Amino acid sequence: MHAKTVTVKLDKHCYDIIIGPDLITQAASQIKHSLHQKDFHQMRVALITDANIASLHLDTLEAELTKNKIHTVPIVVEAGEQSKSFSTLQTVIDKILATRLERGDCVIAFGGGVIGDLGGFAASIIRRGMNFIQMPTTLLAQIDSSVGGKTGINSQYGKNLIGTFYQPRCVISDTCLLDTLPLREFRAGYAEMVKYGLINQPDFFEWLEKNGQKVFSNGSIRTEAIIRSCQFKADIVARDEHETGERALLNLGHTFGHMLETATIYDSNRLIHGEAVAIGMILAHQLSAQLNLINSTLTHRIETHFKAVGLPTQLKDIPGTLPDAETLMTLIAQDKKVSQNNLTFILTRGLGQSFIAKNISSNTILTFLEQKLAEIR
Amino acid sequence: MHAKTVTVKLDKHCYDIIIGPDLITQAASQIKHSLHQKDFHQMRVALITDANIASLHLDTLEAELTKNKIHTVPIVVEAGEQSKSFSTLQTVIDKILATRLERGDCVIAFGGGVIGDLGGFAASIIRRGMNFIQMPTTLLAQIDSSVGGKTGINSQYGKNLIGTFYQPRCVISDTCLLDTLPLREFRAGYAEMVKYGLINQPDFFEWLEKNGQKVFSNGSIRTEAIIRSCQFKADIVARDEHETGERALLNLGHTFGHMLETATIYDSNRLIHGEAVAIGMILAHQLSAQLNLINSTLTHRIETHFKAVGLPTQLKDIPGTLPDAETLMTLIAQDKKVSQNNLTFILTRGLGQSFIAKNISSNTILTFLEQKLAEIR
């Protein structure tokens, strides 16, 4: 099967997302093409990756680049959300500056969402912006975090509170890398795929209901699902690069999701991002039902599909105890989707009919959370 | 005297630089205008400043804003270049996030170049970009660093190696603040003013030769010099926001200047930025003379003017000992104006005839530096 290309069309520049099998073993020519480099003489790239990906795939990628005379500087960070920190950012930046990489050299983020966010942020602020390429290795990163140019790290006050908008020169998504992805991680990425259906593509949700199990196998259905997802996200980003409008729809399930991730202190044993978003989307639908926007049968339908693929759907699926409703509210209020104390949520009026709901009162949310917590106690 | 406005016209947005006396006591309405806020109800600003400015002027600014119902969050950092560090950046960001300022709130950098660079960088990466306003308090900041959107901090590997391009909503330059500026700091800013003449405005250099002493007094000549300088820089930035071309001319004297600042470990007792740039510009002219681009009488003419206003002009004016030429070369090579090991310098073919000289060999510079160091030993 040949690689397919989805183009992200932005005001100032376009870039390609290349999707297909075995791209890692052909990466050099793609990098050359994207950076408009005539030859690789003296070209240097920093390969930012995590310990898991390094043990599985770094040798292969380094061999491909070295064979093609690209000098590589591997920078391996600890796997997991805790690497989206100020201290890891500083370490990565210091290593890149120590090797004297220049603006025209390149930073490659070779990993999942954490590596893409961290590597992209570093690339965006070193020398006020170096060349940057995404090579996402997880389903979540391939369909979501590598597309659209959001970069960042976490703060003690919340997730992704420090970062930039910074677009890569290209995204190289080797679907074969997904074969080594743990099932739980694959499921978490799948939740974001379902999100695209729930936002405004009811057909895609129905297609996933039919084909969901096949997306979990390494065939053409998986690749098709990735291409459709990238195309959807690329279109939204093209229309609203800096999230002044409809891009906020991508936050469906994310305000509740971030709240849950913070409440579980980013402990991946308890919850990973896509799982938090799955539960968050169910909560957003339940809230929509409570506000009489939808019938609760829609929520049940989505729950059924999530359960069929093994995703969590409710607060009681999270191991350990959660803080009380007022503490959860504090976490929401610090989230970046807050504007002048009127809460903004992505709610829905039906399957694939999500919308940006402003001026949701804190009391509405507090009461809703109290009720949800009461159900599990 | 009324305030004058210089507009910076960029592709995506324009913003105004307001220049005049006593603007600090009328700041609230200007802030309101620039942020398109109908009222100040609930509006909050973080006021980033340093200990020196805080003791002189913070009360006045806070009183003006509070009176107009803008909630202020003062963040006072240590005065001096050492505050352009990762640790101070993190402290500033944490304080802003702790007070829950949102994207639509505003960060005001109230200070000199250090505060502008640090505050602008923080504003650009908190929540992927908050509103930002510059209120420069030094001559250097009013005519140079507050204009054009460069932000950043220093690294152990060199100055300004970590940062962003991020434009303010407006710049409010209260010329009365210059009355409390130490003479040495005023001179340092004046060096950058002379630079604008040397880049491509021989008329302005000649005007400064005639009026330089008056620029040091608090009259209309000073204001005129500031307005002309801002207009010059705004024009160059408008034509080349991200320094892909002629904006690099603004680095006249800066490659040598940064080298000297790093060599003196940013010790302001020995050297401050504008002083380093003054010596750097003389070195750039001497190098141009050595490459037979100009006659050395031009260098002497500039030295004479610098000496007349009390600026240093040569390596021996720097207190303490300097490292050897090879160490200085290492500092230059890490500087960001390096591309693939061919050094780029701003040289000149005559008064106000500077140009970007690429492919200057390391050997040429090494020999030149050895010679300069030999002269003072």
Side-chain angles (χ1 to χ4, degrees):
Chain A
M1 190 184 166
H2 287 296
K4 292 267 172 70
T5 297
V6 171
T7 303
V8 186
K9 290 172 186 151
L10 302 171
D11 280 356
K12 289 212 163 176
H13 60 289
C14 292
Y15 64 91
D16 287 339
I17 306 167
I18 326 292
I19 302 157
D22 290 320
L23 296 184
I24 178 176
T25 57
Q26 315 155 34
S29 63
Q30 184 58 49
I31 292 167
K32 175 180 173 175
H33 175 75
S34 299
L35 300 181
H36 310 292
Q37 296 273 343
K38 293 219 177 63
D39 62 74
F40 292 145
H41 190 56
Q42 290 185 315
M43 186 177 168
R44 294 173 299 173
V45 300
L47 289 178
I48 304 179
T49 192
D50 70 29
N52 293 346
I53 296 297
S55 67
L56 290 167
H57 304 294
L58 185 58
D59 287 350
T60 315
L61 180 57
E62 279 206 272
E64 156 70 7
L65 300 187
T66 306
K67 190 178 72 184
N68 287 284
K69 301 205 168 40
I70 301 180
H71 179 70
T72 58
V73 180
I75 298 174
V76 181
V77 307
E78 207 181 331
E81 191 76 26
Q82 69 279 9
S83 283
K84 281 177 68 174
S85 67
F86 239 110
S87 67
T88 308
L89 176 73
Q90 191 173 2
T91 304
V92 167
I93 288 176
D94 278 347
K95 283 186 180 167
I96 291 173
L97 289 174
T99 54
R100 302 197 175 182
L101 262 67
E102 299 166 11
R103 270 193 196 173
D105 292 320
C106 185
V107 173
I108 295 180
F110 184 50
V114 167
I115 294 298
D117 286 0
L118 175 71
F121 188 30
S124 73
I125 63 175
I126 295 175
R127 300 168 188 277
R128 300 197 183 95
M130 292 182 63
N131 284 325
F132 175 54
I133 287 175
Q134 291 265 19
M135 293 189 69
T137 61
T138 65
L139 182 62
L140 178 72
Q142 291 191 354
I143 66 159
D144 182 11
S145 54
S146 72
V147 184
K150 280 193 180 179
T151 80
I153 58 174
N154 301 323
S155 146
Q156 60 177 302
Y157 300 102
K159 222 169 125 76
N160 298 322
L161 289 179
I162 307 163
T164 52
F165 286 100
Y166 196 68
Q167 303 293 343
R169 293 305 187 101
C170 73
V171 181
I172 303 171
S173 282
D174 183 341
T175 53
C176 289
L177 296 172
L178 303 179
D179 298 340
T180 55
L181 188 67
L183 177 59
R184 187 178 169 206
E185 295 283 341
F186 197 97
R187 280 184 188 129
Y190 185 81
E192 298 277 0
M193 201 175 254
V194 172
K195 185 187 75 177
Y196 296 152
L198 298 179
I199 287 174
N200 62 9
Q201 297 186 111
D203 292 356
F204 186 49
F205 179 79
E206 282 163 8
W207 185 84
L208 288 172
E209 280 184 315
K210 282 195 204 99
N211 297 287
Q213 300 298 341
K214 287 184 195 148
V215 173
F216 282 73
S217 310
N218 61 350
S220 62
I221 293 284
R222 181 176 75 183
T223 307
E224 185 182 344
I226 294 169
I227 292 167
R228 286 179 75 163
S229 298
C230 285
Q231 188 65 59
F232 169 81
K233 181 150 184 195
D235 289 347
I236 259 198
V237 169
R239 289 192 298 265
D240 180 22
E241 182 178 356
H242 294 118
E243 195 169 317
T244 53
E246 67 163 318
R247 184 167 179 169
L249 293 175
L250 295 170
N251 293 321
L252 177 62
H254 278 63
T255 302
F256 287 127
H258 285 170
M259 170 196 84
L260 294 172
E261 286 185 277
T262 315
T264 53
I265 321 158
Y266 306 122
D267 178 354
S268 60
N269 292 315
R270 297 177 67 190
L271 201 64
I272 58 179
H273 179 67
E275 292 169 344
V277 170
I279 300 171
M281 287 192 285
I282 298 299
L283 290 171
H285 279 76
Q286 286 170 337
L287 179 59
S288 301
Q290 199 166 87
L291 298 169
N292 293 316
L293 294 163
I294 56 166
N295 191 296
S296 61
T297 52
L298 173 57
T299 317
H300 296 316
R301 181 175 167 186
I302 301 164
E303 281 184 292
T304 303
H305 183 55
F306 280 167
K307 282 178 185 161
V309 297
L311 277 167
T313 59
Q314 23 186 351
L315 297 186
K316 77 165 194 267
D317 295 335
I318 304 169
T321 40
L322 290 172
D324 62 19
E326 295 205 345
T327 308
L328 291 176
M329 272 309 294
T330 318
L331 302 178
I332 286 183
Q334 181 57 34
D335 196 6
K336 63 174 168 288
K337 272 135 256 142
V338 175
S339 176
Q340 303 296 1
N341 297 322
N342 292 315
L343 300 172
T344 297
F345 274 80
I346 311 305
L347 298 179
T348 189
R349 296 192 180 91
L351 179 62
Q353 295 180 54
S354 71
F355 68 101
I356 302 168
K358 293 184 178 174
N359 304 320
I360 303 287
S361 82
S362 303
N363 263 343
T364 305
I365 304 299
L366 184 64
T367 311
F368 175 73
L369 288 172
E370 278 166 350
Q371 186 188 319
K372 288 289 130 192
L373 286 166
E375 286 172 18
I376 61 168
R377 268 166 192 159
Chain B
M1 192 184 163
H2 288 296
K4 293 267 172 70
T5 297
V6 172
T7 304
V8 186
K9 292 171 185 152
L10 301 172
D11 280 354
K12 288 211 163 178
H13 60 289
C14 292
Y15 63 92
D16 287 340
I17 306 168
I18 326 292
I19 302 158
D22 290 320
L23 296 184
I24 179 175
T25 57
Q26 315 156 32
S29 63
Q30 184 58 49
I31 292 168
K32 176 180 173 176
H33 176 75
S34 299
L35 300 181
H36 310 292
Q37 296 273 343
K38 293 218 176 64
D39 63 75
F40 292 146
H41 190 56
Q42 290 186 316
M43 189 181 166
R44 295 173 298 173
V45 300
L47 289 178
I48 304 179
T49 191
D50 70 30
N52 293 345
I53 296 297
S55 67
L56 291 166
H57 305 293
L58 185 58
D59 287 350
T60 315
L61 180 58
E62 279 206 272
E64 155 70 8
L65 300 187
T66 307
K67 190 178 72 185
N68 287 284
K69 302 205 167 37
I70 302 180
H71 179 70
T72 58
V73 180
I75 299 174
V76 181
V77 306
E78 205 182 332
E81 191 75 26
Q82 70 280 8
S83 283
K84 282 177 66 173
S85 67
F86 239 109
S87 67
T88 308
L89 176 73
Q90 190 173 2
T91 304
V92 167
I93 289 175
D94 277 348
K95 284 185 180 167
I96 293 173
L97 289 174
T99 53
R100 301 196 177 184
L101 264 67
E102 299 166 11
R103 271 193 197 173
D105 293 319
C106 185
V107 172
I108 295 181
F110 183 49
V114 166
I115 294 299
D117 286 1
L118 175 71
F121 188 30
S124 72
I125 63 175
I126 296 175
R127 300 170 188 276
R128 299 197 184 94
M130 292 182 63
N131 284 325
F132 175 54
I133 286 177
Q134 291 266 19
M135 294 189 67
T137 61
T138 65
L139 182 62
L140 178 71
Q142 292 192 352
I143 66 158
D144 183 10
S145 54
S146 72
V147 184
K150 279 192 180 179
T151 80
I153 57 173
N154 301 323
S155 145
Q156 59 177 302
Y157 300 102
K159 221 169 124 78
N160 297 323
L161 289 179
I162 307 163
T164 53
F165 287 99
Y166 196 68
Q167 303 294 343
R169 292 305 187 102
C170 72
V171 181
I172 303 171
S173 282
D174 183 341
T175 53
C176 288
L177 297 172
L178 302 179
D179 299 340
T180 55
L181 188 67
L183 177 59
R184 188 177 169 207
E185 296 283 341
F186 197 97
R187 281 184 188 130
Y190 185 81
E192 298 277 0
M193 200 174 254
V194 173
K195 185 188 75 176
Y196 296 152
L198 297 180
I199 287 174
N200 63 9
Q201 297 186 112
D203 292 356
F204 186 49
F205 180 78
E206 282 163 8
W207 186 84
L208 288 173
E209 280 184 316
K210 281 193 204 97
N211 297 288
Q213 299 299 342
K214 288 184 196 147
V215 173
F216 281 73
S217 310
N218 60 350
S220 62
I221 294 284
R222 181 176 76 181
T223 308
E224 185 183 344
I226 294 170
I227 293 167
R228 286 180 74 162
S229 298
C230 285
Q231 189 64 61
F232 169 81
K233 182 151 184 193
D235 290 346
I236 259 197
V237 169
R239 288 193 297 265
D240 180 22
E241 182 178 357
H242 294 115
E243 195 169 316
T244 53
E246 67 164 318
R247 183 167 179 170
L249 292 174
L250 295 170
N251 293 321
L252 177 62
H254 278 62
T255 302
F256 286 128
H258 285 169
M259 171 196 84
L260 294 172
E261 285 185 278
T262 315
T264 53
I265 319 159
Y266 305 120
D267 178 354
S268 61
N269 292 315
R270 296 177 67 189
L271 201 64
I272 57 179
H273 179 68
E275 293 170 344
V277 171
I279 300 172
M281 287 191 285
I282 298 299
L283 290 172
H285 279 76
Q286 286 170 337
L287 179 60
S288 301
Q290 200 168 85
L291 296 170
N292 292 316
L293 293 163
I294 56 167
N295 191 296
S296 60
T297 52
L298 174 58
T299 316
H300 296 315
R301 181 175 169 187
I302 302 163
E303 280 183 294
T304 302
H305 184 56
F306 280 167
K307 283 178 185 160
V309 298
L311 276 166
T313 59
Q314 23 186 349
L315 297 186
K316 77 165 192 268
D317 294 335
I318 304 168
T321 38
L322 290 171
D324 62 20
E326 295 205 346
T327 308
L328 292 176
M329 272 311 293
T330 317
L331 302 177
I332 286 183
Q334 181 58 33
D335 196 7
K336 63 175 166 289
K337 272 135 256 140
V338 175
S339 175
Q340 303 296 1
N341 296 321
N342 292 315
L343 300 171
T344 296
F345 274 80
I346 311 304
L347 298 179
T348 189
R349 296 193 180 90
L351 178 62
Q353 295 180 53
S354 72
F355 67 101
I356 302 167
K358 293 185 177 173
N359 303 319
I360 304 286
S361 82
S362 303
N363 263 343
T364 305
I365 304 301
L366 184 64
T367 310
F368 176 72
L369 289 172
E370 278 166 350
Q371 188 187 317
K372 287 289 129 193
L373 286 167
E375 286 172 17
I376 61 169
R377 268 165 193 162

